[in-house]
Each structure stands twice: as structure tokens, then as C-alpha cells.
Amino acid sequence: MWKNPVDDLYGEIVLDHYHKPRNRGSLKNPSVSAEMANVFCGDEVKLELTIEGDRITAARFLGQGCSISLASASMLTEAVTGLNLEQVEALAETFKGMMNGSVQVDAKKLGDLEALQGVRRFPARVKCAKLAWVALETALERYRKAGT
Ligand code: ZN
């Protein structure tokens, strides 16, 4: 059967997050937030985090754009909630490495995020997948600066 490459790009898990985004919305008193835009396809993602101690206890996102950017943001909020900042940074590194192709993916570590691996074959869309993660890094940087 002929398989449309777009079926891989928009895999089942990706589509599920796109149609039923997790943690979409705003937090009342986020510890930190960051917005990122991807001019290439008009994606915008705003990420809000509540950080207690050194742990992310809540994450929300708002955004508009292509399914990849929004599915990735949805997955991100699920993946980082409950992690401490060190774990979040390690996860962000692993994710970036997966998208660059420099890291052997451990599906157990990445969960749903592993589904975004297929995006790698569409280099123009890698930015879409990374958008929320860039917002995450920006947010963590701001949080660290505010704390010192
Ligand atoms: Zn996009």
C-alpha cells in the first residue's frame, strides 16, 4: 500500500496531542513564562510554568500554528510536569539530540515525545517541533536569573 510520508509526520500520537491538547490554557500565578514564535510557518507558543522548590508542578501552554508545534507543546507540558529542573534540562537535551539525530532514542525516557522523531525527515518542520522547547529553555533561564 502506498504510504503518504505525511502519515508518518502526522503520526497517530502527534495527531492525538494536536486534537486533544494536554494542559492547554493559562496558570493563575505562573512562576515563569516565555513566548516563542517561528516565523517560518507562523507558529506561536506561550509556555507557563509553576515551579515549587526545584520541581515543575504545573505547566500550561497557549498557542497557534501547525499541528507539529502544538502537539510538541502538548507533549512537553505532560513530560515536564513533576520533574525537577535538572531532569527537565536533561530531557530537553535528549529531545534536542533526538531532533538533531545525535542521540540514540530511548523510547522509555521520551514517551510520547518519541513520536516526533519522524519530523526529522522534514528538516523545515524540526523548528516547529523544537519551538516549545526553546520556550522552555528561555523560561528556565529567566527563572534562574530571577532567583539569583
Ligand atoms: Zn510549524
Side-chain angles (χ1 to χ4, degrees):
M1 202 178 86
W2 183 75
K3 204 162 180 252
N4 187 331
V6 169
D7 287 346
D8 289 334
L9 178 59
Y10 299 103
E12 224 175 280
I13 296 172
V14 174
L15 282 177
D16 185 58
H17 276 272
Y18 175 59
H19 291 302
K20 287 179 279 175
R22 325 303 199 252
N23 303 310
R24 188 172 191 141
S26 306
L27 293 166
K28 259 193 194 132
N29 289 305
S31 309
V32 71
S33 68
E35 276 173 83
M36 278 296 140
N38 172 15
V39 287
F40 174 78
C41 74
D43 306 326
E44 288 173 16
V45 167
K46 181 179 188 188
L47 186 67
E48 294 184 345
L49 304 172
T50 299
I51 302 170
E52 291 173 58
D54 73 337
R55 200 167 287 276
I56 295 181
T57 53
R60 297 281 185 280
F61 82 98
L62 286 171
Q64 53 183 26
C66 70
S67 51
I68 295 297
S69 65
L70 297 178
S72 180
S74 168
M75 290 177 188
L76 179 152
T77 57
E78 258 196 340
V80 300
T81 303
L83 297 185
N84 68 37
L85 298 184
E86 207 175 301
Q87 292 169 319
V88 171
E89 269 160 39
L91 181 68
E93 280 304 307
T94 306
F95 181 76
K96 263 198 287 181
M98 176 182 88
M99 297 313 291
N100 296 340
S102 61
V103 165
Q104 194 74 30
V105 183
D106 181 345
K108 261 183 286 172
K109 258 194 207 159
L110 282 168
D112 282 2
L113 289 167
E114 198 236 341
L116 287 168
Q117 206 180 173
V119 176
R120 236 168 44 201
R121 270 171 297 134
F122 306 84
R125 311 307 297 280
V126 168
K127 268 193 180 163
C128 305
K130 279 185 176 170
L131 187 65
W133 295 83
V134 178
L136 174 69
E137 284 182 339
T138 306
L140 293 181
E141 213 171 286
R142 277 182 195 161
Y143 181 75
R144 254 184 251 112
K145 275 191 189 147
T148 51

